[in-house]
Amino acid sequence: MGFKTKLKDVLIGTLSDEELLLLPRGFQTIGNVVIIKLNPKLMGKKKKIGEKYLELLPSIKSVYLNSGRVKGQFRTPEKIEYLVGVKNSIIKHKEHGVIYKFDFTKIMFSMGNLSERKFLATLVKEGEIIVDMFAGIGYFSLPIAKHSKPKKIFSIELNPDSFNYLNENIELNHCENIITPIKGDSKIEVIKLSKSGLKADRVIMGVFPAPKDFINEALTLAKAEGTIYHYEGIVDKEKYLGLFNEFKEIAERNDYKCDLLTKRFVKSYGPGLYHVVFDIKVHKK
Ligand SMILES: C[S@@+](CC[C@H](N)C(=O)[O-])C[C@H]1O[C@@H](n2cnc3c(N)ncnc32)[C@H](O)[C@@H]1O
């Protein structure tokens, strides 16, 4: 029996027939927390519904309700509220040998990006110098530091909450010798790094919307013999090359040549829309 059917069964009598049909099909699990989304017509009975999740899922200790989106420059969740169970929104999520500690009411964590968090680390070669321009709590920096053999990762993050967790996660995962966290705006911090003489083998530009306004700064880290840029955004699947061309035009204006090494569609983002990732090799013309 599917979960929705079980949920319906235990809510017969509490919800009307019409309300039973509006129950969600799925839910998100992080650690021992379930995060649900509800049809607005069910909001009056949100706690009663939450209680049934606890009853049906023995390993789950808390239920939270997500009724907003991920928004703004810091990519923060708009509204995740406590419903029932243990009230603790700070969790340690273990994934692919990495511990991510964060407060899920303040910081986004996309389960849909799991494959990319794993895959990116497999591309990194021994001894690489990496700049992670939008590091967050260490989404990419941590798996790379744990599973590959980079020489150094400079991880830049602007949001103070995320930056604090980035520092904690570096310690929790014993990556202090590899990851150097930098608090600040990557537009400024990247220039400081390049003025100090740093050149990178790989630059990670993982933020939405696609960070077009940061390409000029990111290019100052390019090595004459070549640097790989991880560039991502949301695209119409049929026209995904438009996003690569946006990067290429700016690079060519700066006298760099671009080759698209690989592209990956990470997840669906709405009708016809996809989260795409490019690995772009940039070198001097
Ligand atoms: C949410 S993460 C992207 C995560 C990754 N793509 C994933 O989904 O797993 C993007 C991070 O960039 C940070 N950020 C946004 N603008 C920034 C800037 N100008 N400089 C440094 N960090 C920035 C945000 O605070 C956020 O933590």
Side-chain angles (χ1 to χ4, degrees):
M1 199 194 296
F3 183 80
K4 187 175 174 180
T5 314
K6 285 187 194 161
L7 188 63
K8 264 171 136 178
D9 283 354
V10 292
L11 282 163
I12 292 173
T14 309
L15 265 57
S16 69
D17 288 352
E18 190 204 337
E19 287 170 335
L20 286 171
L21 291 174
L22 300 175
L23 283 169
R25 211 170 299 140
F27 54 85
Q28 191 192 351
T29 314
I30 313 184
N32 53 16
V33 178
V34 151
I35 303 178
I36 60 173
K37 288 188 175 177
L38 285 180
N39 184 297
K41 289 185 182 161
L42 296 177
M43 288 306 170
K45 298 197 175 145
K46 59 189 180 186
K47 282 207 184 280
K48 289 207 161 79
I49 297 172
E51 278 160 12
K52 296 301 174 193
Y53 276 79
L54 278 189
E55 222 174 276
L56 291 173
L57 302 165
S59 61
I60 295 303
K61 301 280 173 260
S62 333
V63 182
Y64 281 71
L65 174 69
N66 182 0
S67 45
R69 303 181 344 158
V70 176
K71 55 167 221 170
Q73 183 188 18
F74 290 163
R75 311 293 303 135
T76 44
E78 204 172 12
K79 192 174 180 200
I80 300 186
E81 65 181 284
Y82 165 78
L83 284 184
V84 289
V86 180
K87 193 171 187 178
N88 179 16
S89 56
I90 299 172
I91 51 148
K92 280 185 188 165
H93 169 66
K94 288 198 191 107
E95 174 188 287
H96 189 225
V98 175
I99 305 167
Y100 294 95
K101 184 178 173 190
F102 61 102
D103 182 337
F104 61 80
T105 61
K106 293 190 181 149
I107 289 164
M108 65 80 82
F109 193 90
S110 170
M111 290 298 175
N113 294 353
L114 164 67
S115 59
E116 186 57 25
R117 284 191 290 273
K118 272 172 98 168
F119 187 72
L120 186 55
T122 68
L123 298 178
V124 172
K125 302 202 176 62
E126 189 168 344
E128 281 193 10
I129 303 277
I130 300 173
V131 176
D132 185 354
M133 289 176 63
F134 305 93
I137 59 168
Y139 305 102
F140 292 133
S141 297
L142 294 168
I144 293 173
K146 281 287 271 198
H147 299 298
S148 317
K149 291 196 173 84
K151 190 169 173 195
K152 198 87 209 135
I153 309 175
F154 297 92
S155 304
I156 308 170
E157 175 54 43
L158 185 57
N159 175 354
D161 285 332
S162 300
F163 186 75
N164 290 340
Y165 284 114
L166 172 64
N167 276 297
E168 269 199 63
N169 288 331
I170 292 170
E171 264 185 44
L172 275 172
N173 290 282
H174 310 295
C175 298
E176 295 92 334
N177 293 335
I178 297 176
I179 302 179
T180 302
I182 301 173
K183 187 176 186 179
D185 183 342
S186 57
K187 214 170 174 53
I188 297 164
E189 299 304 324
V190 156
I191 298 294
K192 284 194 204 159
L193 286 174
S194 53
K195 279 196 174 152
S196 76
L198 188 90
K199 294 287 176 203
D201 297 291
R202 190 176 301 270
V203 178
I204 304 172
M205 302 176 74
V207 71
F208 292 159
K212 186 179 177 185
D213 290 346
F214 293 73
I215 299 175
N216 280 315
E217 288 78 10
L219 288 168
T220 64
L221 295 166
K223 292 171 122 175
E225 62 274 31
T227 292
I228 295 172
Y229 286 78
H230 165 115
Y231 191 67
E232 54 180 71
I234 310 288
V235 291
D236 178 332
K237 202 168 189 179
E238 306 303 314
K239 300 181 194 151
Y240 73 87
L241 275 176
L243 188 70
F244 165 66
N245 288 332
E246 175 180 292
F247 187 100
K248 190 173 163 202
E249 270 168 35
I250 297 174
E252 286 181 347
R253 256 186 263 140
N254 283 277
D255 263 349
Y256 288 100
K257 194 177 166 307
C258 281
D259 293 312
L260 180 56
L261 299 181
T262 40
K263 65 133 200 331
R264 295 178 288 286
F265 291 112
V266 177
K267 62 181 184 293
S268 159
Y269 213 81
L273 294 178
Y274 283 83
H275 169 183
V276 71
V277 172
F278 297 124
D279 295 303
I280 305 169
K281 179 135 187 192
V282 167
H283 40 96
K284 271 282 176 203
K285 272 186 180 169

